[in-house]
Amino acid sequence: MPEALSLLCRVPAHPESRCWALAWSPGGALLASCGGDRAVRVWGRAGSSWTCRAVLGDGHQRTVRRVAWSPCGSYLASASFDGTTCVWKRQEDGFECVATLEGHENEVKSVAWAPSGSLLATCSRDKSVWVWEVDEEEEYECVSVLNAHTQDVKHVVWHPSQELLASASYDDTVRLYREEEDDWVCCATLEGHDSTVWAVAFDKEGERLASVSDDRTLRVWRRYHPGNQEGVACSGTDPTWKCVCTLSGYHSRTIYDVSWCHLTGALATACGDDAIRVFEESPTSEEAQPTFSLTAHVPRAHSQDVNGVAWNPKEPGLLASCSDDGDIAFWKYQRPEGC
Amino acid sequence: MADMFDGIVMAEQRFHGEGYQEGYAEGSHIGIAEGRRYGALHGAKIGSEIGCYLGFALTWHCLLQKCTDEKSSKKIRALESLIGMIQKFPYEDPTYDKLQEDLEKIRGKFKQVGGIF
């Protein structure tokens, strides 16, 4: 089993600091990282190793907690504990900060771009989720402030193809939002976790959602549309999300991040026990009650908590991880025989 | 024979009981008065907050009346949405089950609209 996930390279990305998050560019050639040193770094391949191509060091006054690339790959957004979100535009010789989004009352925890590229979402310790719209003149405007959560919101992520937004919170729930008549509304609340939900990820089709929590479980939720043949009740025209699988007993500490590979369907988790785990759907898995099995487990992937994992969007099996130890690690995943 | 002493023997318990009843009644009375004061204060606070948002929205709505460009109509629509939410709010019903939820929606709308100006 140790062979399933093998280390390719380890890079001291944010020395003497934590590396909080990672994001692959849509083309898969660049990896952005951010950390407690208040900087964003962009990495590119150099032979069998990875080198730093750019350092975006003067955008924030405090820790940068998350980075996200726009779908077109020309912009990078960074969310910081200083309460702001910066938008950086890719130039020939580096990146230039073209906008600073203000409004949150305290630490911004996450940022994500919608598949259309014209919407951005941010979330904060102030319990709110903000939706921003960008126009052709690169002007950003807040179109909605959503106060649905009752505690710190940790993560926001968009559906892969629809304008549907998901958020994860310290209040133990995942919430979904969509636009309704010029305003954004919370259209679903996913309850089930017993503690803080740290991250969520949609699968390739967007009919399933994976969530990971402080309760040490990974849950898979499935969307049921009104009039579905399984007889799951829906209120009005909104689909219902039901938990169809709970993976417990695999993680010995809080799970901080999850990444669902859109090429292979594999799920990777980042855990507070310094380990990285990969799960794949079993061949005998049923749609209504899917089963996943652990196909890889690296117990000491990092020397401290693993904060983030991200599958490369173009190269199957290429996984990047980051940790409180300040490193980024690159891994090669090969699905074990008989899985 | 036992009944004669009953009054004396049970006196302490009886006095405890009576004292408790009197205290409970007085406590409820004071509690209601305090609750009423707190409710009035809290209600006034919320009223003041919402009133402030309404004043802001009505003023800007008035100021933008003459503007017909696309950006302004967007602003006017946002203001009208906020005004609508505030006017729809049931001020006379403190037991309205979505009170907190609707209040948060109004606060969120004001934050978003406020950002535009």
Side-chain angles (χ1 to χ4, degrees):
Chain A
M1 215 195 290
E3 309 312 320
L5 192 67
S6 50
L7 180 70
L8 293 169
C9 175
R10 200 181 289 275
V11 176
H14 295 267
E16 274 142 63
S17 214
R18 293 175 217 266
C19 183
W20 276 115
L22 299 170
W24 288 101
S25 61
L30 298 173
L31 181 71
S33 70
C34 61
D37 58 358
R38 309 191 297 274
V40 171
R41 285 192 162 82
V42 181
W43 307 83
R45 235 189 191 122
S48 59
S49 185
W50 293 76
T51 55
C52 184
R53 300 290 174 81
V55 180
L56 284 49
D58 52 4
H60 293 290
Q61 265 77 62
R62 288 183 62 191
T63 292
V64 186
R65 184 61 178 85
R66 191 93 50 175
V67 275
W69 293 88
S70 63
C72 63
S74 306
Y75 299 88
L76 189 58
S78 58
S80 167
F81 282 179
D82 67 9
T84 71
T85 303
C86 284
V87 181
W88 308 81
K89 186 173 184 177
R90 206 164 154 184
Q91 317 279 30
E92 261 146 39
D93 56 345
F95 287 79
E96 187 198 335
C97 181
V98 294
T100 301
L101 310 180
E102 293 173 338
H104 279 296
E105 289 168 30
N106 43 47
E107 292 90 339
V108 189
K109 299 292 179 93
S110 187
V111 60
W113 295 83
S116 64
S118 59
L119 295 174
L120 196 61
T122 57
C123 67
S124 160
R125 183 167 68 83
D126 68 9
K127 309 175 196 170
S128 66
V129 171
W130 290 46
V131 181
W132 309 78
E133 196 171 60
V134 53
D135 61 23
E136 307 82 39
E137 284 125 50
E138 293 181 4
E139 296 276 323
Y140 290 79
E141 189 190 9
C142 173
V143 294
S144 192
V145 172
L146 297 150
N147 287 320
H149 280 294
T150 55
Q151 297 288 355
D152 186 352
V153 191
K154 302 289 191 188
H155 193 52
V156 275
V157 79
W158 290 92
H159 186 277
S161 53
Q162 296 163 2
E163 280 185 352
L164 178 70
L165 180 64
S167 64
S169 164
Y170 181 60
D171 69 7
D172 310 351
T173 68
V174 170
R175 286 181 186 261
L176 297 166
Y177 314 86
R178 62 171 173 77
E179 198 172 5
E180 187 180 82
E181 284 169 24
D182 245 12
D183 210 351
W184 285 78
V185 296
C186 174
C187 57
T189 303
L190 277 48
E191 288 167 311
H193 278 295
D194 298 318
S195 194
T196 304
V197 187
W198 279 96
V200 283
F202 281 98
D203 72 349
K204 179 170 143 206
E205 282 78 33
E207 292 300 318
R208 295 191 301 186
L209 180 71
S211 61
V212 289
S213 162
D214 183 56
D215 68 7
R216 309 172 190 181
T217 68
L218 184 158
R219 284 175 186 253
V220 178
W221 309 78
R222 192 177 151 214
R223 176 161 67 174
Y224 289 89
H225 297 269
N228 62 82
Q229 42 177 217
E230 288 87 353
V232 176
C234 295
S235 76
T237 49
D238 277 325
T240 300
W241 290 78
K242 235 181 87 180
C243 180
V244 293
C245 180
T246 302
L247 296 173
S248 49
Y250 295 96
H251 300 83
S252 60
R253 291 263 197 283
T254 303
I255 313 171
Y256 291 115
D257 199 14
V258 62
S259 181
W260 206 330
C261 184
H262 289 189
L263 298 171
T264 65
L267 278 159
T269 60
C271 189
D273 63 8
D274 311 349
I276 294 173
R277 292 169 179 83
V278 180
F279 297 87
E280 290 224 55
E281 208 164 344
S282 317
T284 51
S285 178
E286 287 162 25
E287 223 182 295
Q289 269 187 307
T291 48
F292 290 82
S293 54
L294 180 69
T295 54
H297 174 203
V298 181
R300 273 175 312 277
H302 287 274
S303 57
Q304 290 182 59
D305 290 4
V306 189
N307 294 322
V309 276
W311 291 105
N312 186 290
K314 296 291 179 203
E315 195 179 316
L318 177 58
L319 181 73
S321 65
C322 66
S323 162
D324 273 357
D325 63 14
D327 289 348
I328 295 177
F330 295 87
W331 309 85
K332 177 101 203 110
Y333 171 68
Q334 228 141 3
R335 190 180 217 204
E337 296 293 304
C339 261
Chain B
M1 191 58 172
D3 293 339
M4 220 181 8
F5 291 106
D6 228 21
I8 302 165
V9 165
M10 300 305 290
E12 192 175 337
Q13 201 163 317
R14 191 162 31 95
F15 291 145
H16 269 171
E18 283 172 21
Y20 178 86
Q21 301 292 354
E22 279 175 33
Y24 188 92
E26 187 163 335
S28 302
H29 197 65
I30 297 175
I32 288 172
E34 191 177 319
R36 186 171 284 133
R37 267 199 310 275
Y38 179 79
L41 196 67
H42 202 63
K45 250 193 221 169
I46 293 176
S48 168
E49 183 191 349
I50 308 296
C52 181
Y53 300 158
L54 186 62
F56 171 91
L58 289 172
T59 306
W60 274 106
H61 191 261
C62 190
L63 290 171
L64 287 175
Q65 278 310 299
K66 306 260 178 60
C67 303
T68 48
D69 59 295
E70 176 57 37
K71 270 211 163 146
S72 296
S73 8
K74 231 182 171 182
K75 289 181 184 175
I76 290 173
R77 270 203 308 276
L79 288 168
E80 281 170 358
S81 174
L82 177 58
I83 292 167
M85 284 168 96
I86 294 174
Q87 286 171 342
K88 239 179 52 192
F89 192 78
Y91 299 98
E92 297 84 44
D93 182 12
T95 60
Y96 173 50
D97 62 344
K98 287 201 179 163
L99 193 123
Q100 272 305 120
E101 202 179 303
D102 283 5
L103 263 179
E104 286 297 338
K105 285 200 179 127
I106 290 172
R107 284 177 182 135
K109 195 72 194 166
F110 174 72
K111 267 217 180 120
Q112 181 235 321
V113 168
I116 301 178
F117 295 94

